[in-house]
mmCIF file with all atom_site columns, all heavy atoms in Angstrom:
data_model
loop_
_atom_site.group_PDB
_atom_site.id
_atom_site.type_symbol
_atom_site.label_atom_id
_atom_site.label_alt_id
_atom_site.label_comp_id
_atom_site.label_asym_id
_atom_site.label_entity_id
_atom_site.label_seq_id
_atom_site.pdbx_PDB_ins_code
_atom_site.Cartn_x
_atom_site.Cartn_y
_atom_site.Cartn_z
_atom_site.occupancy
_atom_site.B_iso_or_equiv
_atom_site.pdbx_formal_charge
_atom_site.auth_seq_id
_atom_site.auth_comp_id
_atom_site.auth_asym_id
_atom_site.auth_atom_id
_atom_site.pdbx_PDB_model_num
ATOM 1   N N   . LYS A 1 7   ? -10.230 24.541 -13.404 1.00 90.00 ? 17  LYS A N   1
ATOM 2   C CA  . LYS A 1 7   ? -9.151  23.609 -13.077 1.00 90.00 ? 17  LYS A CA  1
ATOM 3   C C   . LYS A 1 7   ? -7.811  24.338 -13.027 1.00 90.00 ? 17  LYS A C   1
ATOM 4   O O   . LYS A 1 7   ? -7.016  24.124 -12.121 1.00 90.00 ? 17  LYS A O   1
ATOM 5   C CB  . LYS A 1 7   ? -9.089  22.471 -14.112 1.00 90.00 ? 17  LYS A CB  1
ATOM 6   C CG  . LYS A 1 7   ? -8.057  21.403 -13.793 1.00 90.00 ? 17  LYS A CG  1
ATOM 7   C CD  . LYS A 1 7   ? -8.435  20.582 -12.574 1.00 90.00 ? 17  LYS A CD  1
ATOM 8   C CE  . LYS A 1 7   ? -7.411  19.533 -12.240 1.00 90.00 ? 17  LYS A CE  1
ATOM 9   N NZ  . LYS A 1 7   ? -7.715  18.784 -11.027 1.00 90.00 ? 17  LYS A NZ  1
ATOM 10  N N   . ASP A 1 10  ? -7.504  26.383 -9.992  1.00 89.00 ? 20  ASP A N   1
ATOM 11  C CA  . ASP A 1 10  ? -7.272  25.503 -8.854  1.00 89.00 ? 20  ASP A CA  1
ATOM 12  C C   . ASP A 1 10  ? -5.800  25.067 -8.792  1.00 89.00 ? 20  ASP A C   1
ATOM 13  O O   . ASP A 1 10  ? -5.167  25.142 -7.746  1.00 89.00 ? 20  ASP A O   1
ATOM 14  C CB  . ASP A 1 10  ? -8.191  24.269 -8.980  1.00 89.00 ? 20  ASP A CB  1
ATOM 15  C CG  . ASP A 1 10  ? -8.011  23.323 -7.826  1.00 89.00 ? 20  ASP A CG  1
ATOM 16  O OD1 . ASP A 1 10  ? -8.074  23.770 -6.669  1.00 89.00 ? 20  ASP A OD1 1
ATOM 17  O OD2 . ASP A 1 10  ? -7.788  22.122 -8.088  1.00 89.00 ? 20  ASP A OD2 1
ATOM 18  N N   . LEU A 1 11  ? -5.249  24.666 -9.938  1.00 89.00 ? 21  LEU A N   1
ATOM 19  C CA  . LEU A 1 11  ? -3.860  24.198 -9.980  1.00 89.00 ? 21  LEU A CA  1
ATOM 20  C C   . LEU A 1 11  ? -2.877  25.315 -9.651  1.00 89.00 ? 21  LEU A C   1
ATOM 21  O O   . LEU A 1 11  ? -1.850  25.087 -9.020  1.00 89.00 ? 21  LEU A O   1
ATOM 22  C CB  . LEU A 1 11  ? -3.522  23.625 -11.357 1.00 89.00 ? 21  LEU A CB  1
ATOM 23  C CG  . LEU A 1 11  ? -4.118  22.256 -11.672 1.00 89.00 ? 21  LEU A CG  1
ATOM 24  C CD1 . LEU A 1 11  ? -3.846  21.887 -13.133 1.00 89.00 ? 21  LEU A CD1 1
ATOM 25  C CD2 . LEU A 1 11  ? -3.522  21.183 -10.774 1.00 89.00 ? 21  LEU A CD2 1
ATOM 26  N N   . ASP A 1 13  ? -3.627  27.923 -7.909  1.00 86.00 ? 23  ASP A N   1
ATOM 27  C CA  . ASP A 1 13  ? -4.029  28.477 -6.609  1.00 86.00 ? 23  ASP A CA  1
ATOM 28  C C   . ASP A 1 13  ? -4.349  29.968 -6.699  1.00 86.00 ? 23  ASP A C   1
ATOM 29  O O   . ASP A 1 13  ? -3.861  30.776 -5.897  1.00 86.00 ? 23  ASP A O   1
ATOM 30  C CB  . ASP A 1 13  ? -2.906  28.240 -5.588  1.00 86.00 ? 23  ASP A CB  1
ATOM 31  C CG  . ASP A 1 13  ? -3.458  28.156 -4.179  1.00 86.00 ? 23  ASP A CG  1
ATOM 32  O OD1 . ASP A 1 13  ? -4.707  28.145 -4.018  1.00 86.00 ? 23  ASP A OD1 1
ATOM 33  O OD2 . ASP A 1 13  ? -2.652  28.124 -3.235  1.00 86.00 ? 23  ASP A OD2 1
ATOM 34  N N   . GLU A 1 28  ? 3.598   28.063 -9.644  1.00 84.00 ? 38  GLU A N   1
ATOM 35  C CA  . GLU A 1 28  ? 2.868   26.790 -9.579  1.00 84.00 ? 38  GLU A CA  1
ATOM 36  C C   . GLU A 1 28  ? 2.753   26.090 -10.933 1.00 84.00 ? 38  GLU A C   1
ATOM 37  O O   . GLU A 1 28  ? 2.334   24.948 -10.988 1.00 84.00 ? 38  GLU A O   1
ATOM 38  C CB  . GLU A 1 28  ? 1.447   26.999 -9.034  1.00 84.00 ? 38  GLU A CB  1
ATOM 39  C CG  . GLU A 1 28  ? 1.350   27.050 -7.526  1.00 84.00 ? 38  GLU A CG  1
ATOM 40  C CD  . GLU A 1 28  ? 1.722   28.399 -6.988  1.00 84.00 ? 38  GLU A CD  1
ATOM 41  O OE1 . GLU A 1 28  ? 2.065   29.275 -7.817  1.00 84.00 ? 38  GLU A OE1 1
ATOM 42  O OE2 . GLU A 1 28  ? 1.668   28.597 -5.773  1.00 84.00 ? 38  GLU A OE2 1
ATOM 43  N N   . TRP A 1 29  ? 3.106   26.781 -12.008 1.00 87.00 ? 39  TRP A N   1
ATOM 44  C CA  . TRP A 1 29  ? 2.999   26.180 -13.342 1.00 87.00 ? 39  TRP A CA  1
ATOM 45  C C   . TRP A 1 29  ? 4.249   25.340 -13.593 1.00 87.00 ? 39  TRP A C   1
ATOM 46  O O   . TRP A 1 29  ? 5.131   25.695 -14.357 1.00 87.00 ? 39  TRP A O   1
ATOM 47  C CB  . TRP A 1 29  ? 2.828   27.270 -14.388 1.00 87.00 ? 39  TRP A CB  1
ATOM 48  C CG  . TRP A 1 29  ? 2.572   26.775 -15.793 1.00 87.00 ? 39  TRP A CG  1
ATOM 49  C CD1 . TRP A 1 29  ? 3.322   27.051 -16.904 1.00 87.00 ? 39  TRP A CD1 1
ATOM 50  C CD2 . TRP A 1 29  ? 1.509   25.932 -16.256 1.00 87.00 ? 39  TRP A CD2 1
ATOM 51  N NE1 . TRP A 1 29  ? 2.800   26.440 -18.023 1.00 87.00 ? 39  TRP A NE1 1
ATOM 52  C CE2 . TRP A 1 29  ? 1.681   25.735 -17.652 1.00 87.00 ? 39  TRP A CE2 1
ATOM 53  C CE3 . TRP A 1 29  ? 0.418   25.315 -15.642 1.00 87.00 ? 39  TRP A CE3 1
ATOM 54  C CZ2 . TRP A 1 29  ? 0.812   24.972 -18.434 1.00 87.00 ? 39  TRP A CZ2 1
ATOM 55  C CZ3 . TRP A 1 29  ? -0.449  24.544 -16.415 1.00 87.00 ? 39  TRP A CZ3 1
ATOM 56  C CH2 . TRP A 1 29  ? -0.245  24.369 -17.791 1.00 87.00 ? 39  TRP A CH2 1
ATOM 57  N N   . ASP A 1 30  ? 4.320   24.163 -12.913 1.00 83.00 ? 40  ASP A N   1
ATOM 58  C CA  . ASP A 1 30  ? 5.487   23.280 -13.051 1.00 83.00 ? 40  ASP A CA  1
ATOM 59  C C   . ASP A 1 30  ? 5.053   21.962 -13.683 1.00 83.00 ? 40  ASP A C   1
ATOM 60  O O   . ASP A 1 30  ? 3.894   21.810 -14.062 1.00 83.00 ? 40  ASP A O   1
ATOM 61  C CB  . ASP A 1 30  ? 6.146   23.068 -11.682 1.00 83.00 ? 40  ASP A CB  1
ATOM 62  C CG  . ASP A 1 30  ? 5.207   22.422 -10.667 1.00 83.00 ? 40  ASP A CG  1
ATOM 63  O OD1 . ASP A 1 30  ? 4.092   21.990 -11.054 1.00 83.00 ? 40  ASP A OD1 1
ATOM 64  O OD2 . ASP A 1 30  ? 5.582   22.354 -9.491  1.00 83.00 ? 40  ASP A OD2 1
ATOM 65  N N   . LEU A 1 32  ? 4.382   19.113 -12.468 1.00 84.00 ? 42  LEU A N   1
ATOM 66  C CA  . LEU A 1 32  ? 3.276   18.421 -11.783 1.00 84.00 ? 42  LEU A CA  1
ATOM 67  C C   . LEU A 1 32  ? 1.939   19.009 -12.217 1.00 84.00 ? 42  LEU A C   1
ATOM 68  O O   . LEU A 1 32  ? 0.996   18.291 -12.535 1.00 84.00 ? 42  LEU A O   1
ATOM 69  C CB  . LEU A 1 32  ? 3.441   18.536 -10.258 1.00 84.00 ? 42  LEU A CB  1
ATOM 70  C CG  . LEU A 1 32  ? 2.337   17.883 -9.428  1.00 84.00 ? 42  LEU A CG  1
ATOM 71  C CD1 . LEU A 1 32  ? 2.241   16.398 -9.740  1.00 84.00 ? 42  LEU A CD1 1
ATOM 72  C CD2 . LEU A 1 32  ? 2.591   18.072 -7.945  1.00 84.00 ? 42  LEU A CD2 1
ATOM 73  N N   . ALA A 1 33  ? 1.861   20.343 -12.251 1.00 87.00 ? 43  ALA A N   1
ATOM 74  C CA  . ALA A 1 33  ? 0.627   21.019 -12.679 1.00 87.00 ? 43  ALA A CA  1
ATOM 75  C C   . ALA A 1 33  ? 0.299   20.646 -14.120 1.00 87.00 ? 43  ALA A C   1
ATOM 76  O O   . ALA A 1 33  ? -0.869  20.402 -14.462 1.00 87.00 ? 43  ALA A O   1
ATOM 77  C CB  . ALA A 1 33  ? 0.780   22.527 -12.544 1.00 87.00 ? 43  ALA A CB  1
ATOM 78  N N   . ILE A 1 35  ? 1.175   17.878 -15.813 1.00 86.00 ? 45  ILE A N   1
ATOM 79  C CA  . ILE A 1 35  ? 0.706   16.493 -15.938 1.00 86.00 ? 45  ILE A CA  1
ATOM 80  C C   . ILE A 1 35  ? -0.718  16.375 -15.419 1.00 86.00 ? 45  ILE A C   1
ATOM 81  O O   . ILE A 1 35  ? -1.562  15.693 -16.000 1.00 86.00 ? 45  ILE A O   1
ATOM 82  C CB  . ILE A 1 35  ? 1.646   15.514 -15.195 1.00 86.00 ? 45  ILE A CB  1
ATOM 83  C CG1 . ILE A 1 35  ? 3.003   15.499 -15.873 1.00 86.00 ? 45  ILE A CG1 1
ATOM 84  C CG2 . ILE A 1 35  ? 1.060   14.106 -15.183 1.00 86.00 ? 45  ILE A CG2 1
ATOM 85  C CD1 . ILE A 1 35  ? 3.980   14.517 -15.281 1.00 86.00 ? 45  ILE A CD1 1
ATOM 86  N N   . ALA A 1 36  ? -0.998  17.070 -14.303 1.00 89.00 ? 46  ALA A N   1
ATOM 87  C CA  . ALA A 1 36  ? -2.354  17.034 -13.755 1.00 89.00 ? 46  ALA A CA  1
ATOM 88  C C   . ALA A 1 36  ? -3.337  17.606 -14.773 1.00 89.00 ? 46  ALA A C   1
ATOM 89  O O   . ALA A 1 36  ? -4.433  17.074 -14.969 1.00 89.00 ? 46  ALA A O   1
ATOM 90  C CB  . ALA A 1 36  ? -2.414  17.806 -12.446 1.00 89.00 ? 46  ALA A CB  1
ATOM 91  N N   . SER A 1 39  ? -3.948  15.155 -17.752 1.00 86.00 ? 49  SER A N   1
ATOM 92  C CA  . SER A 1 39  ? -4.879  14.093 -17.349 1.00 86.00 ? 49  SER A CA  1
ATOM 93  C C   . SER A 1 39  ? -6.305  14.598 -17.368 1.00 86.00 ? 49  SER A C   1
ATOM 94  O O   . SER A 1 39  ? -7.219  13.926 -17.831 1.00 86.00 ? 49  SER A O   1
ATOM 95  C CB  . SER A 1 39  ? -4.555  13.663 -15.923 1.00 86.00 ? 49  SER A CB  1
ATOM 96  O OG  . SER A 1 39  ? -4.065  12.392 -15.903 1.00 86.00 ? 49  SER A OG  1
ATOM 97  N N   . GLN A 1 42  ? -7.613  15.123 -20.914 1.00 85.00 ? 52  GLN A N   1
ATOM 98  C CA  . GLN A 1 42  ? -7.939  13.866 -21.583 1.00 85.00 ? 52  GLN A CA  1
ATOM 99  C C   . GLN A 1 42  ? -9.261  13.308 -21.104 1.00 85.00 ? 52  GLN A C   1
ATOM 100 O O   . GLN A 1 42  ? -10.073 12.839 -21.880 1.00 85.00 ? 52  GLN A O   1
ATOM 101 C CB  . GLN A 1 42  ? -6.834  12.857 -21.323 1.00 85.00 ? 52  GLN A CB  1
ATOM 102 C CG  . GLN A 1 42  ? -6.586  12.045 -22.548 1.00 85.00 ? 52  GLN A CG  1
ATOM 103 C CD  . GLN A 1 42  ? -6.056  10.675 -22.259 1.00 85.00 ? 52  GLN A CD  1
ATOM 104 O OE1 . GLN A 1 42  ? -6.282  10.099 -21.192 1.00 85.00 ? 52  GLN A OE1 1
ATOM 105 N NE2 . GLN A 1 42  ? -5.364  10.142 -23.223 1.00 85.00 ? 52  GLN A NE2 1
ATOM 106 N N   . LYS B 2 36  ? -0.940  22.150 -0.664  1.00 89.00 ? 52  LYS B N   1
ATOM 107 C CA  . LYS B 2 36  ? -1.777  22.180 -1.863  1.00 89.00 ? 52  LYS B CA  1
ATOM 108 C C   . LYS B 2 36  ? -1.156  21.344 -2.985  1.00 89.00 ? 52  LYS B C   1
ATOM 109 O O   . LYS B 2 36  ? -1.809  20.578 -3.661  1.00 89.00 ? 52  LYS B O   1
ATOM 110 C CB  . LYS B 2 36  ? -1.941  23.646 -2.299  1.00 89.00 ? 52  LYS B CB  1
ATOM 111 C CG  . LYS B 2 36  ? -2.648  23.862 -3.611  1.00 89.00 ? 52  LYS B CG  1
ATOM 112 C CD  . LYS B 2 36  ? -4.132  23.777 -3.458  1.00 89.00 ? 52  LYS B CD  1
ATOM 113 C CE  . LYS B 2 36  ? -4.781  23.550 -4.799  1.00 89.00 ? 52  LYS B CE  1
ATOM 114 N NZ  . LYS B 2 36  ? -5.906  24.389 -5.069  1.00 89.00 ? 52  LYS B NZ  1
ATOM 115 N N   . LYS B 2 37  ? 0.175   21.495 -3.167  1.00 89.00 ? 53  LYS B N   1
ATOM 116 C CA  . LYS B 2 37  ? 0.900   20.766 -4.207  1.00 89.00 ? 53  LYS B CA  1
ATOM 117 C C   . LYS B 2 37  ? 0.834   19.270 -3.923  1.00 89.00 ? 53  LYS B C   1
ATOM 118 O O   . LYS B 2 37  ? 0.692   18.458 -4.818  1.00 89.00 ? 53  LYS B O   1
ATOM 119 C CB  . LYS B 2 37  ? 2.380   21.183 -4.207  1.00 89.00 ? 53  LYS B CB  1
ATOM 120 C CG  . LYS B 2 37  ? 2.692   22.329 -5.102  1.00 89.00 ? 53  LYS B CG  1
ATOM 121 C CD  . LYS B 2 37  ? 2.841   21.854 -6.527  1.00 89.00 ? 53  LYS B CD  1
ATOM 122 C CE  . LYS B 2 37  ? 2.655   23.013 -7.443  1.00 89.00 ? 53  LYS B CE  1
ATOM 123 N NZ  . LYS B 2 37  ? 2.548   22.782 -8.801  1.00 89.00 ? 53  LYS B NZ  1
ATOM 124 N N   . SER B 2 38  ? 1.001   18.913 -2.660  1.00 93.00 ? 54  SER B N   1
ATOM 125 C CA  . SER B 2 38  ? 0.985   17.493 -2.296  1.00 93.00 ? 54  SER B CA  1
ATOM 126 C C   . SER B 2 38  ? -0.395  16.898 -2.560  1.00 93.00 ? 54  SER B C   1
ATOM 127 O O   . SER B 2 38  ? -0.509  15.753 -2.982  1.00 93.00 ? 54  SER B O   1
ATOM 128 C CB  . SER B 2 38  ? 1.392   17.307 -0.835  1.00 93.00 ? 54  SER B CB  1
ATOM 129 O OG  . SER B 2 38  ? 2.752   17.659 -0.678  1.00 93.00 ? 54  SER B OG  1
ATOM 130 N N   . ILE B 2 40  ? -2.409  17.817 -4.933  1.00 91.00 ? 56  ILE B N   1
ATOM 131 C CA  . ILE B 2 40  ? -2.510  17.626 -6.392  1.00 91.00 ? 56  ILE B CA  1
ATOM 132 C C   . ILE B 2 40  ? -1.845  16.308 -6.770  1.00 91.00 ? 56  ILE B C   1
ATOM 133 O O   . ILE B 2 40  ? -2.375  15.519 -7.550  1.00 91.00 ? 56  ILE B O   1
ATOM 134 C CB  . ILE B 2 40  ? -1.850  18.800 -7.163  1.00 91.00 ? 56  ILE B CB  1
ATOM 135 C CG1 . ILE B 2 40  ? -2.645  20.072 -6.948  1.00 91.00 ? 56  ILE B CG1 1
ATOM 136 C CG2 . ILE B 2 40  ? -1.738  18.490 -8.658  1.00 91.00 ? 56  ILE B CG2 1
ATOM 137 C CD1 . ILE B 2 40  ? -2.002  21.323 -7.526  1.00 91.00 ? 56  ILE B CD1 1
ATOM 138 N N   . LEU B 2 41  ? -0.672  16.058 -6.177  1.00 92.00 ? 57  LEU B N   1
ATOM 139 C CA  . LEU B 2 41  ? 0.052   14.811 -6.457  1.00 92.00 ? 57  LEU B CA  1
ATOM 140 C C   . LEU B 2 41  ? -0.771  13.606 -6.001  1.00 92.00 ? 57  LEU B C   1
ATOM 141 O O   . LEU B 2 41  ? -0.883  12.614 -6.712  1.00 92.00 ? 57  LEU B O   1
ATOM 142 C CB  . LEU B 2 41  ? 1.401   14.820 -5.726  1.00 92.00 ? 57  LEU B CB  1
ATOM 143 C CG  . LEU B 2 41  ? 2.289   13.636 -6.015  1.00 92.00 ? 57  LEU B CG  1
ATOM 144 C CD1 . LEU B 2 41  ? 2.883   13.725 -7.411  1.00 92.00 ? 57  LEU B CD1 1
ATOM 145 C CD2 . LEU B 2 41  ? 3.420   13.521 -4.991  1.00 92.00 ? 57  LEU B CD2 1
ATOM 146 N N   . GLU B 2 43  ? -3.990  13.269 -5.668  1.00 90.00 ? 59  GLU B N   1
ATOM 147 C CA  . GLU B 2 43  ? -5.141  13.039 -6.545  1.00 90.00 ? 59  GLU B CA  1
ATOM 148 C C   . GLU B 2 43  ? -4.713  12.450 -7.874  1.00 90.00 ? 59  GLU B C   1
ATOM 149 O O   . GLU B 2 43  ? -5.327  11.538 -8.410  1.00 90.00 ? 59  GLU B O   1
ATOM 150 C CB  . GLU B 2 43  ? -5.819  14.371 -6.784  1.00 90.00 ? 59  GLU B CB  1
ATOM 151 C CG  . GLU B 2 43  ? -7.304  14.307 -6.997  1.00 90.00 ? 59  GLU B CG  1
ATOM 152 C CD  . GLU B 2 43  ? -7.836  15.669 -7.386  1.00 90.00 ? 59  GLU B CD  1
ATOM 153 O OE1 . GLU B 2 43  ? -8.067  16.475 -6.458  1.00 90.00 ? 59  GLU B OE1 1
ATOM 154 O OE2 . GLU B 2 43  ? -7.982  15.923 -8.595  1.00 90.00 ? 59  GLU B OE2 1
ATOM 155 N N   . LEU B 2 44  ? -3.620  12.987 -8.423  1.00 89.00 ? 60  LEU B N   1
ATOM 156 C CA  . LEU B 2 44  ? -3.140  12.564 -9.742  1.00 89.00 ? 60  LEU B CA  1
ATOM 157 C C   . LEU B 2 44  ? -2.655  11.118 -9.720  1.00 89.00 ? 60  LEU B C   1
ATOM 158 O O   . LEU B 2 44  ? -2.952  10.325 -10.608 1.00 89.00 ? 60  LEU B O   1
ATOM 159 C CB  . LEU B 2 44  ? -1.988  13.486 -10.169 1.00 89.00 ? 60  LEU B CB  1
ATOM 160 C CG  . LEU B 2 44  ? -1.385  13.222 -11.534 1.00 89.00 ? 60  LEU B CG  1
ATOM 161 C CD1 . LEU B 2 44  ? -2.381  13.538 -12.622 1.00 89.00 ? 60  LEU B CD1 1
ATOM 162 C CD2 . LEU B 2 44  ? -0.132  14.062 -11.727 1.00 89.00 ? 60  LEU B CD2 1
ATOM 163 N N   . ARG B 2 160 ? 9.175   12.830 -1.219  1.00 94.00 ? 176 ARG B N   1
ATOM 164 C CA  . ARG B 2 160 ? 7.810   12.796 -1.741  1.00 94.00 ? 176 ARG B CA  1
ATOM 165 C C   . ARG B 2 160 ? 7.716   12.016 -3.050  1.00 94.00 ? 176 ARG B C   1
ATOM 166 O O   . ARG B 2 160 ? 6.647   11.600 -3.458  1.00 94.00 ? 176 ARG B O   1
ATOM 167 C CB  . ARG B 2 160 ? 7.283   14.213 -1.951  1.00 94.00 ? 176 ARG B CB  1
ATOM 168 C CG  . ARG B 2 160 ? 5.769   14.278 -2.097  1.00 94.00 ? 176 ARG B CG  1
ATOM 169 C CD  . ARG B 2 160 ? 5.330   15.635 -2.530  1.00 94.00 ? 176 ARG B CD  1
ATOM 170 N NE  . ARG B 2 160 ? 5.825   15.934 -3.872  1.00 94.00 ? 176 ARG B NE  1
ATOM 171 C CZ  . ARG B 2 160 ? 5.417   16.967 -4.592  1.00 94.00 ? 176 ARG B CZ  1
ATOM 172 N NH1 . ARG B 2 160 ? 4.516   17.807 -4.086  1.00 94.00 ? 176 ARG B NH1 1
ATOM 173 N NH2 . ARG B 2 160 ? 5.912   17.200 -5.783  1.00 94.00 ? 176 ARG B NH2 1
ATOM 174 N N   . PHE B 2 274 ? -1.631  5.910  -11.571 1.00 89.00 ? 290 PHE B N   1
ATOM 175 C CA  . PHE B 2 274 ? -1.498  6.789  -12.736 1.00 89.00 ? 290 PHE B CA  1
ATOM 176 C C   . PHE B 2 274 ? -0.827  6.054  -13.898 1.00 89.00 ? 290 PHE B C   1
ATOM 177 O O   . PHE B 2 274 ? -1.329  6.024  -15.008 1.00 89.00 ? 290 PHE B O   1
ATOM 178 C CB  . PHE B 2 274 ? -0.688  8.028  -12.341 1.00 89.00 ? 290 PHE B CB  1
ATOM 179 C CG  . PHE B 2 274 ? -0.409  8.989  -13.460 1.00 89.00 ? 290 PHE B CG  1
ATOM 180 C CD1 . PHE B 2 274 ? -1.391  9.855  -13.914 1.00 89.00 ? 290 PHE B CD1 1
ATOM 181 C CD2 . PHE B 2 274 ? 0.850   9.045  -14.050 1.00 89.00 ? 290 PHE B CD2 1
ATOM 182 C CE1 . PHE B 2 274 ? -1.131  10.751 -14.952 1.00 89.00 ? 290 PHE B CE1 1
ATOM 183 C CE2 . PHE B 2 274 ? 1.116   9.939  -15.084 1.00 89.00 ? 290 PHE B CE2 1
ATOM 184 C CZ  . PHE B 2 274 ? 0.125   10.795 -15.530 1.00 89.00 ? 290 PHE B CZ  1
ATOM 185 N N   . GLN B 2 277 ? -3.119  3.353  -15.386 1.00 90.00 ? 293 GLN B N   1
ATOM 186 C CA  . GLN B 2 277 ? -4.221  3.878  -16.195 1.00 90.00 ? 293 GLN B CA  1
ATOM 187 C C   . GLN B 2 277 ? -3.712  4.307  -17.566 1.00 90.00 ? 293 GLN B C   1
ATOM 188 O O   . GLN B 2 277 ? -4.337  4.040  -18.589 1.00 90.00 ? 293 GLN B O   1
ATOM 189 C CB  . GLN B 2 277 ? -4.899  5.061  -15.488 1.00 90.00 ? 293 GLN B CB  1
ATOM 190 C CG  . GLN B 2 277 ? -5.809  4.605  -14.373 1.00 90.00 ? 293 GLN B CG  1
ATOM 191 C CD  . GLN B 2 277 ? -6.344  5.759  -13.545 1.00 90.00 ? 293 GLN B CD  1
ATOM 192 O OE1 . GLN B 2 277 ? -5.751  6.833  -13.496 1.00 90.00 ? 293 GLN B OE1 1
ATOM 193 N NE2 . GLN B 2 277 ? -7.460  5.530  -12.887 1.00 90.00 ? 293 GLN B NE2 1
ATOM 194 N N   . LYS B 2 278 ? -2.551  4.969  -17.571 1.00 88.00 ? 294 LYS B N   1
ATOM 195 C CA  . LYS B 2 278 ? -1.957  5.430  -18.835 1.00 88.00 ? 294 LYS B CA  1
ATOM 196 C C   . LYS B 2 278 ? -1.596  4.229  -19.704 1.00 88.00 ? 294 LYS B C   1
ATOM 197 O O   . LYS B 2 278 ? -1.731  4.258  -20.920 1.00 88.00 ? 294 LYS B O   1
ATOM 198 C CB  . LYS B 2 278 ? -0.704  6.265  -18.577 1.00 88.00 ? 294 LYS B CB  1
ATOM 199 C CG  . LYS B 2 278 ? -0.966  7.598  -17.921 1.00 88.00 ? 294 LYS B CG  1
ATOM 200 C CD  . LYS B 2 278 ? -1.330  8.668  -18.936 1.00 88.00 ? 294 LYS B CD  1
ATOM 201 C CE  . LYS B 2 278 ? -2.085  9.824  -18.346 1.00 88.00 ? 294 LYS B CE  1
ATOM 202 N NZ  . LYS B 2 278 ? -3.503  9.816  -18.564 1.00 88.00 ? 294 LYS B NZ  1
ATOM 203 N N   . ASP B 2 281 ? -4.717  2.721  -21.213 1.00 90.00 ? 297 ASP B N   1
ATOM 204 C CA  . ASP B 2 281 ? -5.164  3.554  -22.338 1.00 90.00 ? 297 ASP B CA  1
ATOM 205 C C   . ASP B 2 281 ? -4.302  3.298  -23.558 1.00 90.00 ? 297 ASP B C   1
ATOM 206 O O   . ASP B 2 281 ? -4.801  3.167  -24.670 1.00 90.00 ? 297 ASP B O   1
ATOM 207 C CB  . ASP B 2 281 ? -5.087  5.042  -21.967 1.00 90.00 ? 297 ASP B CB  1
ATOM 208 C CG  . ASP B 2 281 ? -6.104  5.411  -20.889 1.00 90.00 ? 297 ASP B CG  1
ATOM 209 O OD1 . ASP B 2 281 ? -7.082  4.666  -20.721 1.00 90.00 ? 297 ASP B OD1 1
ATOM 210 O OD2 . ASP B 2 281 ? -5.903  6.448  -20.214 1.00 90.00 ? 297 ASP B OD2 1
#
Side-chain angles (χ1 to χ4, degrees):
Chain A
K17 184 69 181 177
D20 181 51
L21 286 173
D23 207 7
E38 277 81 359
W39 186 238
D40 60 8
L42 179 59
I45 294 183
S49 248
Q52 218 208 26
Chain B
K52 173 81 198 227
K53 269 279 160 190
S54 293
I56 293 173
L57 184 73
E59 211 187 277
L60 182 67
R176 197 190 65 169
F290 177 77
Q293 283 172 337
K294 292 275 158 259
D297 292 340

